[in-house]
Amino acid sequence: MDSFRLMPEGCISAIISLTSPKDAARSSAVSQTFMSAAESDVVWESFLPTDYEDIVPRSDSPMDFPSKKQLYFSLCNSPILLDGGKLSFSLDKKTGKKCFMVAARELGIAWGDTPAYWEWISHRDSRFSEVAKLNSVCWLDIRGKIETRVLSKRTEYFAYLVFKFEDTFFGLGSANSVVRFVDCESDNEAERRANVVSFVGQGPRSMLPMERDDGWMELKLGNFFNDTGDDRDVEARLMEIHYRSWKHGLIVQGIEFRPE
């Protein structure tokens, strides 16, 4: 007997909407009534960002889903391009919190407009139309910014450089990385507390790149807490500007900001 058959489905949906996407999926196994309630738009709209109706229309491709659950999982599994491909947007599947990747074209790359140093190419594995390919530099400095107001509030975020290597690469050993609130800390102050990271070699896991599910690599640049979204721009930076050895063979897709 379905012990919940007398409880109004709307009541069950309201209760489930106060849990998490993972709990909502599990609740479908409780009973037929719970399954129906857990599939409702009331539940899955509560897991979508409050501003999703402003974000989704900015997609470069039309989006039309018959249910909020389908929209939710589409945004988790298939990032969408926004604003003409300047950045991509997706959701963290476990929490529904917002993830953004800033395209390489929108990054501040030292000497990025000098073809002898950096080249802009298409890449079949990139979600963006262009990636930045490092030909040869001795001064490596890459910055990516995003407004904190667009991120999920009261959330710890991490920033990652998303990249690949060419078949032949060199000079890409250790570097420094730092994340700062632009209006609260100067470049010089941030540089003094920068962390050491490494493209190759051995060391603590947090210093080394990891392979992603999409086949790219990611290198953790740092983290920050987004409280109320009132801190304006946050900047993630990767730099190797002291030893100035020549570097070659890095392919940059973007910098991703996502909750951890």
Side-chain angles (χ1 to χ4, degrees), residues 234-247:
V234 62
E235 178 188 78
R237 183 182 180 192
L238 176 81
M239 55 193 157
E240 202 294 278
I241 57 177
H242 299 297
Y243 299 108
R244 303 190 187 181
S245 59
W246 287 98
K247 305 161 187 66

Side-chain angles (χ1 to χ4, degrees), residues 129-150:
S129 61
E130 288 183 305
V131 297
K133 186 182 79 165
L134 172 58
N135 287 329
S136 186
V137 297
C138 59
W139 182 288
L140 181 65
D141 197 347
I142 303 173
R143 305 168 186 247
K145 292 181 185 178
I146 195 165
E147 293 181 274
T148 56
R149 67 177 179 82
V150 307

Side-chain angles (χ1 to χ4, degrees), residues 110-128:
W111 306 105
D113 293 326
T114 305
Y117 300 137
W118 289 89
E119 186 178 349
W120 294 93
I121 62 170
S122 62
H123 196 292
R124 64 181 181 180
D125 296 331
S126 175
R127 65 185 64 173
F128 302 111

Side-chain angles (χ1 to χ4, degrees), residues 141-180:
D141 197 347
I142 303 173
R143 305 168 186 247
K145 292 181 185 178
I146 195 165
E147 293 181 274
T148 56
R149 67 177 179 82
V150 307
L151 303 174
S152 297
K153 294 178 175 58
R154 292 173 290 281
T155 299
E156 186 81 11
Y157 271 88
F158 286 78
Y160 297 87
L161 180 76
V162 182
F163 71 96
K164 284 191 174 188
F165 291 124
E166 287 193 87
D167 291 338
T168 300
F169 64 93
F170 58 80
L172 296 166
S174 62
N176 294 107
S177 69
V178 69
V179 175
R180 70 181 178 113

Side-chain angles (χ1 to χ4, degrees), residues 30-48:
V30 173
S31 69
Q32 187 64 41
T33 304
F34 264 64
M35 179 182 293
S36 178
E39 297 285 321
S40 74
D41 280 353
V42 170
V43 170
W44 291 95
E45 187 163 30
S46 72
F47 299 143
L48 290 165

